[in-house]
Amino acid sequence: MKTRTETREILDKLEGQHPGADTELHYRTPFELLVATILSAQSTDRRVNMVTPALFARYPDARALAQASTAELEPQIHATGFFRAKSRSLIGMATALVARHDGEVPADMDALTALPGVGRKTANVVLGHAFGIPGLPVDRHVLRVSNRIGIAEGGDPELVEKQLGGALPKSRWT
């Protein structure tokens, strides 16, 4: 595995090649980002962005989405793939937000990952982009590339997140 210095040099080069890299998901609120990030699993941000305007118009907040049925939601998110599982996750997440957090998205890793359909990667995206809380979202792509270029070792996203976090100052996270 590369040293911290080597890792930082590699990431400096990548940042130079891709300045201002950011999420391509369109959102206005933490709730919208949470929904969009859940929908982005096994889908493209472009496809999610095609689906979310109508979805957010119909379900503008957790209370509205918690009232949806899977039969209503599935056709609206079908294009993102895995629509049955995603509809259950979205309704479960919204229901939990209403029950546990008065309908608001919490700015806390443990509270986020306790929601249906929300893992560390999704929580890190929401914390970083919606709340400005540094995090390192590690999905399958980040894991593979990090291993391939030698800046991390292992197949567990949480382990790779810790390794990358140890090599980078928080100012370089999300």
Side-chain angles (χ1 to χ4, degrees), residues 1 12 32-33 48 52 54 70 75 82 96 118 126 132 139 151 160 171:
M1 194 161 83
D12 285 342
E32 287 184 0
L33 179 58
V48 171
T52 53
T70 55
F82 299 95
V118 180
V126 171
D139 62 6
I151 61 175
V160 170
S171 62

Side-chain angles (χ1 to χ4, degrees), residues 18-25 27 45 129 174:
H18 305 279
D22 199 1
T23 182
E24 293 186 18
L25 294 171
Y27 67 96
D45 291 352
H129 293 284
T174 306

Side-chain angles (χ1 to χ4, degrees), residues 21-56:
D22 199 1
T23 182
E24 293 186 18
L25 294 171
H26 299 162
Y27 67 96
R28 295 170 301 206
T29 66
F31 175 74
E32 287 184 0
L33 179 58
L34 180 56
V35 169
T37 307
I38 290 170
L39 288 174
S40 73
Q42 302 295 312
S43 188
T44 64
D45 291 352
R46 184 176 182 205
R47 176 71 59 188
V48 171
N49 290 336
M50 291 167 57
V51 167
T52 53
L55 190 68
F56 296 153

Side-chain angles (χ1 to χ4, degrees), residues 12-161:
D12 285 342
K13 288 179 185 177
L14 288 171
E15 228 174 82
Q17 292 173 351
H18 305 279
D22 199 1
T23 182
E24 293 186 18
L25 294 171
H26 299 162
Y27 67 96
R28 295 170 301 206
T29 66
F31 175 74
E32 287 184 0
L33 179 58
L34 180 56
V35 169
T37 307
I38 290 170
L39 288 174
S40 73
Q42 302 295 312
S43 188
T44 64
D45 291 352
R46 184 176 182 205
R47 176 71 59 188
V48 171
N49 290 336
M50 291 167 57
V51 167
T52 53
L55 190 68
F56 296 153
R58 187 165 181 178
Y59 308 108
D61 56 31
R63 283 179 173 72
L65 185 55
Q67 298 301 312
S69 70
T70 55
E72 294 169 333
L73 190 56
E74 287 174 1
Q76 295 172 67
I77 64 171
H78 186 272
T80 67
F82 299 95
F83 59 93
R84 287 186 182 93
K86 289 179 183 180
S87 68
R88 288 189 303 271
S89 291
L90 288 171
I91 293 168
M93 173 273 297
T95 301
L97 283 180
V98 170
R100 299 181 207 154
H101 304 285
D102 197 32
E104 298 298 319
V105 176
D108 176 79
M109 176 63 76
D110 291 334
L112 283 168
T113 56
L115 299 170
V118 180
R120 286 190 67 84
K121 178 227 155 207
T122 296
N124 272 317
V125 168
V126 171
L127 290 171
H129 293 284
F131 296 110
I133 298 170
L136 291 167
V138 176
D139 62 6
R140 181 61 50 196
H141 304 293
V142 170
L143 188 139
R144 287 182 184 153
V145 170
S146 296
N147 275 276
R148 179 168 285 168
I149 63 178
I151 61 175
E153 290 178 345
D156 175 29
E158 194 167 343
L159 173 64
V160 170
E161 179 184 336

